[in-house]
């Protein structure tokens, strides 16, 4: 396991919370969605007030122990409101 | 046949019809979403839409594939707009053509209901006294 500065894509209210649309997080790789979300909440506790939080890895919704590897595109998906 | 687009310019119902119309079809159902001037009794000035474009295209394509594989359905078009929209403008058009109307109505309803649940697009309501990301907080 190595700590890496990992860039994530950020949308909607998450941009307001994290201060940008592309944010670098210091995380241990390889990781998984549960670990990633726990880390996110610890660094940005304001996410506790957001109705829900999904994570996408390489354009697919991902959950639980789905892995995050170096080079993956990870996006933070707050509650969607298209249409 | 499927047409999926995310555009930052006005959407066209005529373009949708041009894609979905076919001599084998007896019915076309087109849903047009429009920007409403109020929410929970409060006046809305405009909406700002943001999309995670590659994933939004992917999720919209999944919806369209689901519909297109159904009996009777011939063509599906799903268009979504991003950027700033004024009251009365159109953020989304979903068009479905089918041999018979029942399949088209059901498919179009399914498409907009599912789009609102799964497609990574976000709208922000702009009021006179502030801005709110829709559905972000309970």
């Amino acid at each position: 396991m190595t700590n890496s500065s990992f860039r994530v894509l950020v949308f909607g209210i998450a941009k307001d919370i994290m201060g940008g649309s592309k944010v670098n997080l210091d995380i241990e790789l390889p990781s998984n969605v549960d670990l990633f979300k726990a880390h996110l909440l610890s660094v940005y506790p304001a996410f506790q007030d957001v109705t829900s939080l999904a994570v996408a890895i390489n354009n697919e919704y991902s959950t639980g122990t789905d892995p995050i590897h170096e080079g993956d595109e990870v996006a933070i998906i707050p509650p969607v409101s298209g249409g | 046949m499927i047409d999926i687009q995310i555009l930052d310019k006005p959407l066209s119902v005529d373009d949708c019809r041009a894609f979905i119309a076919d001599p084998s079809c007896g019915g076309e159902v087109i849903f047009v979403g429009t920007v409403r001037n109020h929410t929970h009794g409060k006046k809305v000035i405009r909406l700002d839409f943001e999309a995670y474009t590659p994933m939004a295209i992917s999720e919209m394509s999944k919806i369209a594939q689901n519909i297109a594989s159904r009996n009777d359905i011939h063509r599906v078009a799903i268009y979504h707009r991003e950027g700033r929209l004024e009251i009365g403008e159109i953020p989304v058009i979903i068009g479905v053509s089918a041999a018979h109307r029942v399949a088209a109505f059901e498919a179009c309803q399914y498409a907009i209901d599912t789009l609102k649940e799964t497609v990574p697009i976000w709208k922000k309501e702009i009021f006179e006294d502030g801005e709110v990301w829709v559905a972000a907080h309970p």
Side-chain angles (χ1 to χ4, degrees):
Chain A
M1 303 268 261
T2 54
N3 252 59
S4 304
S5 179
F6 193 83
R7 194 190 74 162
V8 299
L9 304 182
V10 187
F11 298 93
I13 196 165
K15 281 189 309 189
D16 299 345
I17 292 171
M18 297 176 68
S21 61
K22 295 182 175 92
V23 177
N24 286 311
L25 294 176
D26 217 4
I27 64 175
E28 281 186 55
L29 290 178
S31 186
N32 65 43
V33 173
D34 279 347
L35 292 172
F36 176 80
K37 286 174 78 168
H39 178 76
L40 201 64
L41 255 70
S42 72
V43 179
Y44 301 99
F47 276 112
Q48 285 166 27
D49 298 328
V50 178
T51 308
S52 61
L53 190 62
V55 172
I57 301 170
N58 300 324
N59 294 329
E60 293 291 336
Y61 284 107
S62 304
T63 56
T65 56
D66 290 346
I68 296 172
H69 296 117
E70 189 167 341
D72 282 337
E73 177 166 297
V74 174
I76 293 166
I77 311 281
V80 301
S81 51
Chain B
M1 294 214 44
I2 284 165
D3 187 18
I4 307 293
Q5 296 188 42
I6 295 181
L7 302 171
D8 62 2
K9 59 183 179 125
L11 304 180
S12 165
V13 176
D14 286 341
D15 287 353
C16 178
R17 277 219 68 225
F19 180 79
I20 67 174
D22 189 271
S24 68
C25 294
E28 298 165 20
V29 175
I30 299 177
F31 172 77
V32 176
T34 53
V35 177
R36 204 172 60 238
N37 64 4
H38 67 280
T39 185
H40 302 305
K42 194 169 174 181
K43 180 181 169 190
V44 173
I45 305 298
R46 70 166 197 273
L47 297 182
D48 289 350
F49 282 88
E50 178 183 23
Y52 179 20
T53 301
M55 188 177 172
I57 297 276
S58 170
E59 292 295 318
M60 286 158 71
S61 298
K62 288 176 189 173
I63 293 169
Q65 300 281 3
N66 176 304
I67 293 168
S69 67
R70 300 179 184 186
N71 287 338
D72 264 22
I73 300 297
H74 192 71
R75 286 171 174 245
V76 181
I78 305 179
Y79 305 152
H80 206 294
R81 192 164 154 202
E82 61 180 340
R84 181 167 293 193
L85 270 78
E86 305 296 329
I87 304 305
E89 291 201 279
I90 297 171
V92 62
I93 296 175
I94 299 178
V96 180
S97 59
H100 306 287
R101 69 185 184 282
V102 170
F105 273 115
E106 289 177 351
C108 195
Q109 171 112 58
Y110 166 84
I112 184 59
D113 289 350
T114 307
L115 182 151
K116 283 173 159 296
E117 296 281 318
T118 67
V119 173
I121 293 175
W122 297 266
K123 65 162 83 78
K124 186 197 280 192
E125 289 162 336
I126 311 301
F127 306 105
E128 283 162 331
D129 62 355
E131 310 180 339
V132 169
W133 287 103
V134 171
H137 291 121

